[in-house]
Amino acid sequence: MNGNGNLRVGLYICHCGTNIAGTIDVKAVAAWGETLPGVVVSREYKYMCSDPGQQLIVDDVREQHLNRIVVASCSPLLHEQTFRGATAKAGLNPFFFHMVNVREHDSWVHEDKQAATEKAKDLIRAAVRRVAFHKPLEKKRVPIHPDVLIVGGGIAGIHAALTLANAGKHVYLVEREPTIGGHMAKFDKTFPTLDCAACILTPKMTAVKKHPNITLWTLSDVTQIEGYVGNFTVTVKRHPRYIIEDLCVGCLECIEACVYKQAKYPDEFNLGLGKRKPIYIPFPQAVPQLPVIDRETCIEFKSGRCKKTCVEVCGDRKAIDFKQQESTETINVGSVILATGFQVFDARRLPYYGYGKFPNVYTSLEAERLINAAGPTQGEVILRDGRKPKTVGILHCIGSRDENTNRWCSRVCCMYSLKLAHLIKEHTGAEIFNFYIDIRTPGKGFEEFYQRLLNEGVHFIRGKGAEINTWPLDPSEEGKLIIRVEDTLIGKIRRIPVDMVVLSVGLEPHADAGDVRRLFNISCSSEGWFLERHPKLAPVNTFTDGIFLAGCCQGPKDIPDSVAQAGAAAAESLALIDSKFVELEPNTAYILEEACSGCKTCIPLCPYSAISFVEAKKKAEINEALCKGCGTCVAACPSGSIRQNLFEDEEIFEEIKGVLAHA
Amino acid sequence: MPEAKPETPAVGPKRFEPRIVAFFCNWCTYLAADLAGTSRMKYAPNMRVIRTMCSGRVDPQFVLDAFAHGADGVLIGGCHPGDCHYQEGNYKALRRVHLLKRLLREMGIEEERFRLEWISAAEADRLKTAVNDMVEKVRALGPLRLETTAEFFPEEVKVA
Ligand SMILES: Cc1cc2nc3c(=O)[nH]c(=O)nc-3n(C[C@H](O)[C@H](O)[C@H](O)COP(=O)(O)OP(=O)(O)OC[C@H]3O[C@@H](n4cnc5c(N)ncnc54)[C@H](O)[C@@H]3O)c2cc1C
Ligand code: FES
């Protein structure tokens, strides 16, 4: 075979309970396995990944002098490491093992038992033939950089940053807005306990700013990331604020002094419900406590002829700098936590609800600002036309659970709609109608909150609002927004006239989630949420080692869940850092020098510039530290002199012959 | 509802079951196949997957070898353009596939027998559709008879 002596393969077929054995005739496969050339032991067992299962391998190697192991069970993604471990424990090189995926790729996807069994045999034959060519390999150990990058400063990013910083790790927190806080900073109160969002969030925000272990960069974007787990090099672009952070004391006198005596421009933080000046602070508790100058509206930027009263009042501090440029920082980190959150569904996409057309139709996020004591109306619910609403309709599931927009349930809307109902009622005494498809209140204290609302006399109408119009059919509807809805409990179409409509918009992935995903080399679900490595067992890991997820970027969730996930991501990151070293898969490419003709075909193919041409020898050379093991150069080498560990040509040729050998 | 066409009966003594060899990249298409499994989707059992780290690792020789050893079809699966875990291995794969398609045509191997599909880790349903579709098309073509094609070579030489 391969110069490694006599082939003695141990073959193990896992039942995985009935997951495999229910479809594949494991007994027949094991019996057949004995007839394969080189196979010395062929067994089936209930759970190969269990301790006794692994012990089978260890014992057989010792007693039967096996030198190769093949396990047919689940996906290598789940248990390749487990069985490599067992192989090593038995005293063999762990890479004398190969795994066959007969669960995800076979028993779970086929109903025809005979066909599934045949498929299993083909795959096993291929593995047995392949494993004969395996070579002993060693994993490379590389040290892990202890610093961590966190992208996104919402509650998830903040919590993860504080956890890591408190554990003594240095954290870079990169936020693209002028302040951290994310969506939570916009809320007045949070369900189900109705605690004041600012009271619980702002202390954490200030702690981030004060923490010696946290470097906070707002108005910043990650533009590049290179390297691998334990050793990432990250480029961060910092956009100008036109305020020198180190010199500004946050007195905010410049805002007062601006030549604009009145705030004039729509204020982003309040979703355009309020106004701000060209120099402003997003909200009073913003962190960092620094003003920001908007280039688009500032007279100095537009004409260069402003009196610059802001600079005058800043005086000796000289913190205002109109010439500030974008700057670039390069940092090294060992792990990354993505906490980029979500965006709300754009209600304009459903024109029949009249958002953007009827001034008194609001989104839920706008409603949050209206009832916020620090909001544009100081917490008074005053409509765009200056009135106070006497009747309010809250429409659930706008842009959620809808085949035409987003199919998923956004998980928090039922609860925040109940919260808004309670708060608006409290602020205005208005009569409130909730229009829902189902009320979903799974969570600690959630159902109790729903009961409380029922007792408070809020109306619940089961039916998704169909349309909002302003055509009165009788005088009582004059000047009102009319919600048309099929009340599915009484089976009738109803018209409910109200003064104010709140659209409970769903949560969706950021418009640029695809770009972020690509930048960090991770996957998205088909909906666009960042994909976790395993939905149950690795919910904060991604398929890219060293990159973790926290909060709503992974899927809709509430604050408690976002915080829990952030803690988990921080813990995963800590575990990684404290292991001090990572072991890299030894699947790198290497060159057979004698065979290399020096044609240079491979050199431009490598995306990592790992291949260079050594003039003296007229041969190509691979820098193992840079090679990531894709194998593109291996496939391209015309003389076959580039090879790849774990994916050697002959190993793959054997697999091809193996899967096809039966007929 | 339009009346459903009667299904072609799967009877007859033996329906031809094409053998498809697939090369899936570790980061996207292999994971899509895993996801199809965890989602308990069902698709035709004719495919045998061989894992490579990247579609860029798929040497044209692998494809030729598969056909030479009796595959009726070969499917390469990789990440979508721009999504390759190694930046651009899939572009390299695409380049080779174009060349290889011409070669296969010259050899008399029908186009439907060789496919490249971009299937992301989340697109289990796309994987299912691609496999089923390929199996059906190759089934319709019948077994690949490379030997027969080769028989013509001497004649052609004579003519020339
Ligand atoms: C109307 C409404 C009311 C709600 N009410 C409640 C409630 O009462 N109780 C509750 O538990 N939950 C509530 N929620 C849910 C809550 O908003 C989320 O659970 C929480 O905000 C998730 O936090 P996060 O950090 O994951 O995301 P976010 O709050 O969205 O924060 C993400 C942060 O990342 C930044 N960012 C995004 N992309 C990038 C990038 N590429 N680079 C750098 N930075 C980036 C953003 O600017 C933002 O600061 C409500 C949601 C809505 C829409
Ligand atoms: S890793 Fe999937 S195509 Fe390169």
Side-chain angles (χ1 to χ4, degrees), chain A residues 634-650:
Chain A
V634 190
C637 177
S639 64
S641 54
I642 311 190
R643 324 235 336 166
Q644 186 185 11
N645 288 320
L646 277 179
F647 294 90
E648 299 282 4
D649 278 348
E650 51 270 38

Side-chain angles (χ1 to χ4, degrees), chain A residues 126 652 655-656 659, chain B residues 21-25 30 48-52:
Chain A
I652 296 173
E655 275 192 83
I656 297 171
V659 291
Chain B
V21 173
F23 298 96
F24 285 174
C25 87
Y30 194 88
R48 311 287 183 259
V49 177
I50 294 175
R51 181 164 66 122
T52 58

Side-chain angles (χ1 to χ4, degrees), chain A residues 24 84 98 100 135 200 234 240 268 279 302 365 408 414 436 472 482 516 589 592 605-606 626 639:
Chain A
I24 295 171
R84 275 185 187 164
H98 196 67
V100 189
K135 299 178 307 180
I200 53 181
V234 184
E268 294 83 356
I279 185 165
K302 287 204 291 197
L365 207 52
W408 59 87
C414 276
Y436 67 99
I482 297 137
V516 176
L592 298 177
L605 290 181
C606 181
L626 295 179
S639 64

Side-chain angles (χ1 to χ4, degrees), chain A residues 358-547:
Chain A
F358 306 132
N360 294 342
V361 176
Y362 291 82
T363 68
S364 47
L365 207 52
E366 289 169 337
E368 292 280 354
R369 293 312 296 155
L370 278 187
I371 51 179
N372 193 307
T377 52
Q378 283 75 44
E380 272 203 77
V381 183
I382 302 171
L383 298 177
R384 287 195 176 95
D385 62 10
R387 285 186 298 148
K388 275 192 170 189
K390 294 201 181 66
T391 40
V392 180
I394 301 179
L395 276 60
H396 295 211
C397 296
I398 305 299
S400 301
R401 306 181 67 198
D402 177 357
E403 286 292 329
N404 301 318
T405 55
N406 296 330
R407 283 169 51 199
W408 59 87
C409 164
S410 295
R411 255 185 77 180
V412 293
C413 321
C414 276
M415 281 306 289
Y416 79 54
S417 299
L418 298 181
K419 170 184 80 176
L420 288 173
H422 169 88
L423 293 174
I424 296 174
K425 199 173 166 63
E426 187 180 77
H427 285 235
T428 61
E431 185 167 20
I432 313 240
F433 298 87
N434 271 266
F435 300 86
Y436 67 99
I437 312 178
D438 299 293
I439 293 281
R440 297 192 166 171
T441 53
K444 198 171 170 183
F446 288 15
E447 182 64 19
E448 293 86 331
F449 190 69
Y450 175 36
Q451 288 304 328
R452 172 173 170 188
L453 267 277
L454 287 171
N455 293 336
E456 281 175 9
V458 171
H459 306 292
F460 287 88
I461 296 178
R462 200 182 82 181
K464 184 165 179 174
E467 182 197 52
I468 310 238
N469 66 44
T470 50
W471 305 309
L473 287 188
D474 63 55
S476 73
E477 294 182 350
E478 211 73 58
K480 302 268 186 186
L481 294 164
I482 297 137
I483 303 170
R484 286 190 359 114
V485 59
E486 180 189 352
D487 185 331
T488 57
L489 289 181
I490 56 170
K492 287 221 159 63
I493 306 286
R494 293 177 67 179
R495 297 167 60 84
I496 314 277
V498 295
D499 299 318
M500 175 190 193
V501 166
V502 177
L503 301 177
S504 293
V505 284
L507 276 54
E508 60 182 22
H510 276 295
D512 69 350
D515 302 333
V516 176
R517 169 184 76 79
R518 223 162 261 168
L519 182 66
F520 288 93
N521 216 336
I522 60 166
S523 304
C524 277
S525 67
S526 46
E527 298 87 20
W529 303 107
F530 295 158
L531 195 65
E532 65 281 3
R533 193 180 188 115
H534 192 281
K536 290 154 197 116
L537 302 179
V540 300
N541 301 64
T542 65
F543 286 106
T544 303
D545 287 334
I547 300 196

Side-chain angles (χ1 to χ4, degrees), chain A residues 186-489:
Chain A
K186 295 193 164 66
F187 310 153
D188 183 48
K189 301 228 162 69
T190 56
F191 66 72
T193 45
L194 295 179
D195 29 358
C196 144
C199 315
I200 53 181
L201 180 64
T202 35
K204 290 187 86 121
M205 290 168 60
T206 343
V208 164
K209 183 69 202 156
K210 282 211 205 100
H211 210 297
N213 288 340
I214 300 180
T215 303
L216 171 62
W217 287 331
T218 47
L219 287 167
S220 301
D221 284 308
V222 174
T223 54
Q224 207 184 0
I225 170 157
E226 285 178 336
Y228 49 88
V229 51
N231 298 275
F232 294 107
T233 306
V234 184
T235 314
V236 180
K237 199 163 260 169
R238 303 192 57 195
H239 305 288
R241 182 186 277 273
Y242 305 108
I243 303 291
I244 303 172
E245 286 197 24
D246 294 339
L247 301 180
C248 176
V249 294
C251 66
L252 308 183
E253 282 174 30
C254 49
I255 301 179
E256 201 53 41
C258 176
V259 291
Y260 279 100
K261 286 296 158 240
Q262 292 299 319
K264 191 173 161 204
Y265 297 101
D267 155 6
E268 294 83 356
F269 190 80
N270 284 318
L271 309 155
L273 294 174
K275 300 251 186 298
R276 61 157 171 81
K277 296 182 178 181
I279 185 165
Y280 66 102
I281 181 154
F283 66 106
Q285 298 95 335
V287 168
Q289 266 290 308
L290 300 172
V292 47
I293 298 177
D294 171 23
R295 270 190 86 98
E296 302 303 315
T297 49
C298 168
I299 298 186
E300 178 61 16
F301 279 108
K302 287 204 291 197
S303 68
R305 284 202 301 261
C306 183
K307 276 204 297 196
K308 289 185 272 196
T309 38
C310 53
V311 177
E312 258 166 50
V313 70
C314 191
D316 288 345
R317 294 189 286 266
K318 293 195 171 58
I320 299 179
D321 176 8
F322 290 105
K323 300 221 160 55
Q324 203 175 46
Q325 295 293 320
E326 189 176 84
S327 65
T328 310
E329 309 266 358
T330 306
I331 53 174
N332 292 312
V333 297
S335 52
V336 178
I337 297 176
L338 295 178
T340 49
F342 64 95
Q343 67 182 30
V344 291
F345 174 79
D346 179 1
R348 283 186 187 81
R349 281 172 61 195
L350 299 174
Y352 38 88
Y353 294 124
Y355 179 75
K357 184 167 141 207
F358 306 132
N360 294 342
V361 176
Y362 291 82
T363 68
S364 47
L365 207 52
E366 289 169 337
E368 292 280 354
R369 293 312 296 155
L370 278 187
I371 51 179
N372 193 307
T377 52
Q378 283 75 44
E380 272 203 77
V381 183
I382 302 171
L383 298 177
R384 287 195 176 95
D385 62 10
R387 285 186 298 148
K388 275 192 170 189
K390 294 201 181 66
T391 40
V392 180
I394 301 179
L395 276 60
H396 295 211
C397 296
I398 305 299
S400 301
R401 306 181 67 198
D402 177 357
E403 286 292 329
N404 301 318
T405 55
N406 296 330
R407 283 169 51 199
W408 59 87
C409 164
S410 295
R411 255 185 77 180
V412 293
C413 321
C414 276
M415 281 306 289
Y416 79 54
S417 299
L418 298 181
K419 170 184 80 176
L420 288 173
H422 169 88
L423 293 174
I424 296 174
K425 199 173 166 63
E426 187 180 77
H427 285 235
T428 61
E431 185 167 20
I432 313 240
F433 298 87
N434 271 266
F435 300 86
Y436 67 99
I437 312 178
D438 299 293
I439 293 281
R440 297 192 166 171
T441 53
K444 198 171 170 183
F446 288 15
E447 182 64 19
E448 293 86 331
F449 190 69
Y450 175 36
Q451 288 304 328
R452 172 173 170 188
L453 267 277
L454 287 171
N455 293 336
E456 281 175 9
V458 171
H459 306 292
F460 287 88
I461 296 178
R462 200 182 82 181
K464 184 165 179 174
E467 182 197 52
I468 310 238
N469 66 44
T470 50
W471 305 309
L473 287 188
D474 63 55
S476 73
E477 294 182 350
E478 211 73 58
K480 302 268 186 186
L481 294 164
I482 297 137
I483 303 170
R484 286 190 359 114
V485 59
E486 180 189 352
D487 185 331
T488 57
L489 289 181

Side-chain angles (χ1 to χ4, degrees), chain A residues 11-290:
Chain A
L11 169 61
Y12 302 86
I13 297 116
C14 179
H15 298 198
C16 192
T18 55
N19 281 307
I20 294 172
T23 311
I24 295 171
D25 185 346
V26 288
K27 292 217 158 47
V29 174
W32 163 88
E34 283 178 5
T35 67
L36 287 173
V39 172
V40 177
V41 180
S42 175
R43 295 184 197 276
E44 24 88 27
Y45 187 70
K46 254 207 143 31
Y47 290 105
M48 275 312 291
C49 61
S50 67
D51 281 345
Q54 295 184 49
Q55 194 57 38
L56 269 183
I57 300 178
V58 177
D59 294 344
D60 284 347
V61 169
R62 295 203 177 128
E63 284 156 26
Q64 310 269 350
H65 309 289
L66 303 178
N67 53 19
R68 294 292 187 284
I69 303 298
V70 171
V71 178
S73 53
C74 49
S75 170
L77 251 87
L78 245 51
H79 277 305
E80 190 170 53
Q81 298 306 336
T82 313
F83 295 123
R84 275 185 187 164
T87 310
K89 194 172 162 211
L92 294 179
N93 182 284
F95 294 95
F96 281 158
F97 161 77
H98 196 67
M99 188 152 176
V100 189
N101 185 343
V102 292
R103 195 180 71 176
E104 282 82 345
H105 286 197
D106 192 354
S107 67
W108 274 352
V109 286
H110 305 313
E111 273 159 343
D112 178 341
K113 294 187 179 177
Q114 200 191 337
T117 305
E118 286 311 309
K119 181 171 180 179
K121 288 183 185 171
D122 284 350
L123 295 172
I124 289 172
R125 187 188 308 104
V128 170
R129 293 181 67 146
R130 178 193 218 273
V131 82
F133 287 84
H134 280 204
K135 299 178 307 180
L137 295 169
E138 260 176 52
K139 285 195 168 184
K140 208 169 39 180
R141 268 162 67 93
V142 289
I144 293 177
H145 198 290
D147 293 359
V148 184
L149 165 71
I150 298 180
V151 187
I155 181 62
I158 291 174
H159 186 76
L162 287 172
T163 309
L164 284 161
N166 289 340
K169 308 299 172 202
H170 192 89
V171 176
Y172 296 92
L173 179 58
V174 175
E175 166 60 56
R176 67 175 169 199
E177 299 295 327
T179 172
I180 56 172
H183 282 93
M184 189 176 168
K186 295 193 164 66
F187 310 153
D188 183 48
K189 301 228 162 69
T190 56
F191 66 72
T193 45
L194 295 179
D195 29 358
C196 144
C199 315
I200 53 181
L201 180 64
T202 35
K204 290 187 86 121
M205 290 168 60
T206 343
V208 164
K209 183 69 202 156
K210 282 211 205 100
H211 210 297
N213 288 340
I214 300 180
T215 303
L216 171 62
W217 287 331
T218 47
L219 287 167
S220 301
D221 284 308
V222 174
T223 54
Q224 207 184 0
I225 170 157
E226 285 178 336
Y228 49 88
V229 51
N231 298 275
F232 294 107
T233 306
V234 184
T235 314
V236 180
K237 199 163 260 169
R238 303 192 57 195
H239 305 288
R241 182 186 277 273
Y242 305 108
I243 303 291
I244 303 172
E245 286 197 24
D246 294 339
L247 301 180
C248 176
V249 294
C251 66
L252 308 183
E253 282 174 30
C254 49
I255 301 179
E256 201 53 41
C258 176
V259 291
Y260 279 100
K261 286 296 158 240
Q262 292 299 319
K264 191 173 161 204
Y265 297 101
D267 155 6
E268 294 83 356
F269 190 80
N270 284 318
L271 309 155
L273 294 174
K275 300 251 186 298
R276 61 157 171 81
K277 296 182 178 181
I279 185 165
Y280 66 102
I281 181 154
F283 66 106
Q285 298 95 335
V287 168
Q289 266 290 308
L290 300 172

